[in-house]
Amino acid sequence: MLYARDTEGKLFRYHYDHTNKRWLQKEKLVGFGGWEVYYQLFSPGGDVLYAVTNDGLLRWYRYLPEREIDWAGPNTIGLGGWRMYRDVMTNTDACKLKKSS
């Protein structure tokens, strides 16, 4: 998955199938607005997003594709100080979405 946001704060989701070398989804609107308030967004995969606020909080979101535009979160998981880092990243193959039984 690849996420992108525009200057209006809308969030878009892209899904590329590397095996078949084709896009399964392009520019799907998954956030109607408000994402511009974040200083930084990044993802470890599995439709999980982390967001750093301008005041340094770290927030966690998870997109639930089976519910279309529906997010779990935000959950604040880091209190202050995250803005002092120029770049925050994750290991992008560390998070795998598992189906619940």
Side-chain angles (χ1 to χ4, degrees), residues 11-48:
L11 190 67
F12 300 90
R13 181 178 186 256
Y14 298 76
H15 186 177
Y16 185 74
D17 180 355
H18 187 278
T19 303
N20 295 309
K21 301 195 180 345
R22 66 185 183 97
W23 289 100
L24 300 177
Q25 183 178 76
K26 289 186 190 178
E27 205 171 339
K28 177 179 174 135
L29 181 64
V30 295
F32 289 110
W35 292 92
E36 76 281 359
V37 301
Y38 291 112
Y39 172 72
Q40 186 178 18
L41 294 169
F42 56 98
S43 175
D47 279 317
V48 170

Side-chain angles (χ1 to χ4, degrees), residues 30 32 54 71 78 89:
V30 295
F32 289 110
N54 284 322
W71 289 87
M89 301 181 315

Side-chain angles (χ1 to χ4, degrees), residues 38 49 93:
Y38 291 112
L49 288 179
D93 64 353

